[in-house]
């Protein structure tokens, strides 16, 4: 199986690059080697490579900067995935793409399923939604996995921010009104690799039978405040922690350029049922991530 992976230096892409080894030949690229805002180079690369599976973990993920960089966000998050899906269909390849809980407005109050209507509150979420719709509309062998609150131990994330605040501030204020599913990039990558491993001797047919949109994130959901407390509890370097108290705060106290959904937790039941896999609980995944790095 020849797999073409984009975003190999990102949180998820880096883990995918590791997890996919053993499934076949993996050719992996990232910015600036390949630039999603330059469609001609993308087409040439995919057509020359002729993969059976294209996996896109690249995206413009700067949520606040997307407000002023809307064109860049649209090209990267909407137009490039649409082009990848179109080229993949032309080659008879499967296309696996990732999207976000930020396609929702966060007003539902219970976890979102795939049939809930998206209503993004910011440019990032809007461009990711446009990407999803363009890919699904092409009706090829496409799988879209919407995920949430992705972190890894090797790039800046909420986990690294909390650890650095804890080493430098006696008191921390963390929002308690934002709720979603913390998702360890390694667990997400391993589950993606697992389903490809399950696909058997005719992976393209197996994937085509299951094509569509799925929610795929850490099992369970929590607030940023509870997540931060769990990060502090799992910190193996407690000796350096100077923080003594963690206070709850409201999102309105920390204005940002992009509005964020408050309750954007994802219900991942459809993924579990379809692919017969159990997603790791977010707390267990966090302790493993912080133990293994
Ligand atoms: N992070 C989250 O909390 C989160 C939540 C929900 C969904 N997701 C989705 O999950 C997927 C993986 O996210 P992630 O956290 O792994 O993202 P990430 O760490 O930001 O990685 C994205 C990768 O895409 C690259 N990239 C950016 N602009 C590009 C361009 N014009 N052309 C080619 N590559 C470009 C980035 O390169 P540079 O670093 O050089 O810019 C980076 O290596 C994305 O689809 C994202 O939308 C993420």
């Amino acid at each position: 199986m020849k797999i073409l992976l984009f975003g190999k230096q990102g949180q998820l892409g880096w883990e995918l690059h590791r997890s996919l080894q053993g499934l076949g030949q993996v050719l992996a690229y990232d910015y600036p080697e390949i630039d999603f805002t330059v469609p001609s180079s993308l087409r040439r690369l995919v057509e020359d490579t002729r993969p059976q599976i294209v996996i896109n973990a690249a995206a413009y993920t700067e949520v606040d900067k997307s407000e002023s960089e809307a064109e860049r966000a649209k090209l990267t998050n909407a137009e490039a995935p649409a082009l990848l899906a179109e080229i993949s269909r032309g080659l008879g390849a499967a296309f696996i793409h990732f999207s976000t809980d930020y396609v929702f407005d966060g007003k539902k109050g219970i976890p979102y399923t795939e049939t809930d209507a998206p209503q993004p509150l910011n440019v990032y979420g809007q461009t990711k939604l446009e990407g999803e719709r363009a890919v699904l509309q092409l009706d090829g062998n496409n799988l879209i996995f919407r995920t949430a609150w992705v972190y890894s131990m090797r790039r800046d994330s909420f986990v690294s921010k909390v650890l650095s605040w804890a080493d430098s501030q006696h008191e921390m204020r963390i929002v308690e009104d934002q709720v979603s599913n913390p998702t360890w990039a390694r667990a997400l990558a391993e589950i993606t690799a697992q389903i490809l491993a399950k696909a058997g001797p005719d992976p393209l047919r197996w994937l085509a039978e299951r094509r569509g949109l799925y929610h795929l994130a850490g099992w369970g959901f929590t607030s940023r405040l509870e997540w931060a407390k769990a990060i502090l509890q799992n910190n193996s370097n407690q000796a350096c922690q100077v923080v003594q108290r963690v206070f709850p705060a409201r999102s309105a106290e920390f204005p940002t350029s992009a509005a964020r959904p408050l309750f954007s937790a994802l219900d991942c039941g459809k993924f579990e049922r379809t692919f017969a896999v159990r997603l790791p609980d977010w707390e267990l995944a966090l302790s493993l991530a912080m133990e293994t790095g």
Side-chain angles (χ1 to χ4, degrees):
M1 185 151 59
K2 196 193 261 187
I3 302 171
L4 179 57
L5 169 68
F6 292 104
K8 73 167 179 185
Q9 298 295 347
Q11 298 193 96
L12 172 61
W14 193 83
E15 297 290 353
L16 276 169
H17 198 194
R18 288 173 44 149
S19 303
L20 295 168
Q21 302 300 325
L23 289 174
Q25 184 187 9
V26 184
L27 299 155
Y29 296 87
D30 207 325
Y31 184 85
E33 240 179 322
I34 188 80
D35 185 350
F36 275 21
T37 66
V38 184
S40 54
S41 64
L42 200 51
R43 179 179 287 281
R44 208 172 319 119
L45 175 71
V46 185
E47 288 181 347
D48 288 352
T49 308
R50 305 195 70 78
Q52 274 95 46
I53 299 186
V54 177
I55 304 183
N56 179 31
Y60 188 68
T61 55
E62 301 274 2
V63 177
D64 288 312
K65 274 199 206 158
S66 292
E67 297 296 306
S68 53
E69 295 268 358
E71 187 56 23
R72 186 170 187 84
K74 188 179 170 73
L75 287 169
T76 313
N77 296 340
E79 295 189 11
L83 181 63
L84 287 175
E86 183 208 309
I87 305 167
S88 300
R89 192 181 60 174
L91 293 172
F95 178 53
I96 299 179
H97 177 64
F98 293 86
S99 190
T100 174
D101 55 330
Y102 280 13
V103 297
F104 294 114
D105 64 11
K107 295 181 181 151
K108 187 183 174 196
I110 57 169
Y112 285 95
T113 67
E114 292 80 355
T115 54
D116 287 318
Q119 184 71 53
L121 299 179
N122 55 45
V123 170
Y124 167 73
Q126 179 61 38
T127 58
K128 292 293 293 184
L129 177 61
E130 286 168 18
E132 285 182 4
R133 286 185 170 155
V135 168
L136 290 173
Q137 205 176 1
L138 280 164
D139 204 24
N141 191 352
N142 304 311
L143 289 164
I144 299 181
F145 297 144
R146 274 191 195 138
T147 190
W149 287 10
V150 178
Y151 65 91
S152 74
M153 303 308 290
R154 54 171 290 281
R155 272 181 74 129
D156 278 348
S157 67
F158 185 70
V159 176
S160 60
K161 275 188 201 152
V162 169
L163 291 175
S164 114
W165 294 330
D167 289 354
S168 57
Q169 300 175 15
H170 292 286
E171 292 182 348
M172 275 164 49
R173 296 175 59 73
I174 308 282
V175 298
E176 63 175 347
D177 56 355
Q178 285 181 31
V179 173
S180 195
N181 325 58
T183 305
W184 184 22
R186 184 170 301 171
L188 183 55
E190 284 178 356
I191 286 165
T192 306
Q194 259 182 45
I195 65 161
L196 291 178
K198 272 180 175 232
D202 192 355
L204 293 180
R205 184 166 166 198
W206 193 87
L207 292 171
E209 286 166 0
R210 291 159 181 80
R211 66 191 180 171
L213 174 68
Y214 296 89
H215 289 174
L216 171 52
W219 188 260
F221 55 86
T222 192
S223 67
R224 292 241 181 226
L225 175 66
E226 293 306 317
W227 187 16
K229 287 181 182 170
I231 293 166
L232 297 180
Q233 271 165 14
N234 281 290
N235 184 8
S236 58
N237 203 4
Q238 302 249 345
C240 293
Q241 252 179 228
V242 299
V243 71
Q244 281 162 4
R245 292 206 287 178
V246 183
F247 292 106
R250 313 292 295 171
S251 299
E253 294 172 45
F254 302 101
T256 48
S257 340
R260 280 150 173 84
L262 292 183
F263 187 99
S264 55
L266 302 175
D267 177 329
C268 301
K270 178 184 171 192
F271 181 89
E272 284 202 336
R273 289 188 300 277
T274 307
F275 293 97
V277 288
R278 192 78 186 93
L279 300 175
D281 176 83
W282 76 265
E283 279 180 285
L284 175 65
L286 179 68
S287 66
L288 287 173
M290 294 188 67
E291 192 182 300
T292 55

